[in-house]
Amino acid sequence: MAKTNAARRRAFEKKQEQMRTGQAAQKQGELAEMAFIYRAESLGFDVAKPYGDSNRYDVVVRAGRQFWKVQVKSSSLMAWGNYRVHAERIERGRVIPYTADEIDFLAIYIIPEDTWFIIPVRAFAPHRSVHLYPRGTADGGRYEKYREAWWLME
């Protein structure tokens, strides 16, 4: 027997809630990468996605003759007025912060705010997490100057 429209709608809304609450982190990451590619390409950058997941970066962005290694992250959960994003990788059970040898930029998509932060690695390394305040703070937040800073990759 086919599902009713009401049952299909409930199932769809349940999947949406799972995405919002982080129960589908891998899928959220994949969607963020696609969103990055779409946005960067629409701004005139050329974007390439390396084969596999063994690189430290998710995409390569070309602007003129310059190539940038970009790690794409996303967050959908606000806690204490900020979105926290891990700026690290795990290797053999050890947590290792990203370095300038591995990536050039961390591109962070804040899903509920539909906002990108394009942060050069030198701005956060050697820290292992980045706290973003897209709704503002008294001092504007450490990374506010990188909100929608696509021009840094020119």
Side-chain angles (χ1 to χ4, degrees):
M1 183 169 151
K3 285 186 178 181
T4 65
N5 280 342
R8 291 175 63 203
R9 181 179 180 166
R10 282 191 303 276
F12 178 78
E13 289 172 350
K14 181 178 179 181
K15 283 174 75 175
Q16 295 301 304
E17 182 60 27
Q18 288 173 337
M19 287 295 293
R20 283 191 293 274
T21 59
Q23 293 178 13
Q26 179 72 29
K27 180 63 86 173
Q28 179 177 308
E30 292 166 356
L31 292 171
E33 287 178 24
M34 287 191 290
F36 177 88
I37 292 167
Y38 177 81
R39 183 68 184 275
E41 287 278 350
S42 70
L43 292 171
F45 295 102
D46 293 323
V47 182
K49 173 86 172 115
Y51 175 76
D53 288 328
S54 59
N55 293 306
R56 304 286 186 250
Y57 50 90
D58 292 317
V59 295
V60 175
V61 175
R62 184 176 70 87
R65 294 182 178 206
Q66 182 68 49
F67 289 87
W68 303 108
K69 297 174 288 189
V70 180
Q71 175 66 36
V72 179
K73 298 284 189 177
S74 64
S75 182
S76 60
L77 182 63
M78 180 185 276
W80 297 290
N82 74 88
Y83 294 89
R84 180 176 157 210
V85 178
H86 297 285
E88 63 194 16
R89 60 187 172 83
I90 298 174
E91 186 175 297
R92 296 185 200 121
R94 291 182 31 224
V95 178
I96 303 168
Y98 291 119
T99 68
D101 292 333
E102 298 172 326
I103 65 171
D104 298 305
F105 288 93
L106 190 62
I108 303 171
Y109 184 46
I110 305 300
I111 297 167
E113 312 292 331
D114 191 25
T115 299
W116 284 95
F117 286 81
I118 309 299
I119 307 174
V121 68
R122 63 178 153 51
F124 64 86
H127 300 288
R128 294 183 356 201
S129 63
V130 172
H131 296 265
L132 301 170
Y133 300 84
R135 295 184 185 169
T137 64
D139 64 358
R142 178 179 185 173
Y143 301 104
E144 182 60 28
K145 62 187 167 189
Y146 300 111
R147 180 194 296 253
E148 302 293 344
W150 297 89
W151 54 269
L152 290 173
M153 292 190 288
E154 277 293 324

